[in-house]
Amino acid sequence: MKTPLLILAPLSMLALAACNQTETPAAGEADAAKTTAAAEEIEMPPAITASGTYRCADNTILYVDFLGANEAADIRVGDKAATAVRVTAPAPEAPAADAAATDAAKPAAEAAPAGPLKSADGESTLSGAGKEIKVKLAGKGEQTCKGS
């Protein structure tokens, strides 16, 4: 008589534990999640357009990945797996309202970033592309680096 009770007790607890457990969100919550996801715009990171290995004047080896249309670059010092320093182009200044009418005839080529690419902290800069670049890294002076 004790054996059937010992078997029934765990089974009844298991059945009670499974009661009232829903795995899907309520209908209102699911609709809100879909609306929020659709409203957010997903911005893709810029593509790598060129990569290069450079040797600098102080014998430092740099691995540089140029991103987008010269809008950013990732600089790695000494090893391809090293942490990258991201340098970006300065944001273009908005023209004044009265100057906008006179500058309307200027070509769109002037919208390209002017000046060197700079890191967020302002300590690292990069200018140039191709076989020769000028780099200033944090704690070092500006130097010219040549690609292979």
Side-chain angles (χ1 to χ4, degrees):
M1 192 73 156
K2 288 185 179 183
T3 306
L5 286 177
L6 290 176
I7 294 174
L8 289 176
L11 290 176
S12 63
M13 287 182 172
L14 182 63
L16 289 174
C19 289
N20 233 0
Q21 299 266 338
T22 59
E23 294 182 16
T24 58
E29 292 175 12
D31 292 338
K34 287 179 185 176
T35 306
T36 305
E40 293 178 7
E41 254 186 62
I42 298 173
E43 184 177 332
M44 297 295 292
I48 296 175
T49 55
S51 293
T53 304
Y54 297 89
R55 182 174 295 274
C56 298
D58 68 350
N59 239 6
T60 303
I61 295 178
L62 300 179
Y63 298 95
V64 181
D65 294 329
F66 295 96
L67 308 172
N70 260 353
E71 53 195 48
D74 287 336
I75 304 170
R76 292 177 174 81
V77 180
D79 186 17
K80 282 187 178 183
T83 303
V85 175
R86 170 79 49 107
V87 290
T88 56
E93 296 180 18
D98 59 345
T102 59
D103 291 341
K106 289 189 178 181
E110 290 184 3
L117 304 176
K118 295 183 181 181
S119 64
D121 60 6
E123 292 190 21
S124 300
T125 62
L126 177 121
S127 60
K131 296 285 184 185
E132 188 170 300
I133 59 173
K134 288 190 178 188
V135 177
K136 180 186 178 294
L137 298 172
K140 295 184 178 183
E142 184 175 66
Q143 56 186 336
T144 301
C145 303
K146 295 185 180 190
S148 53

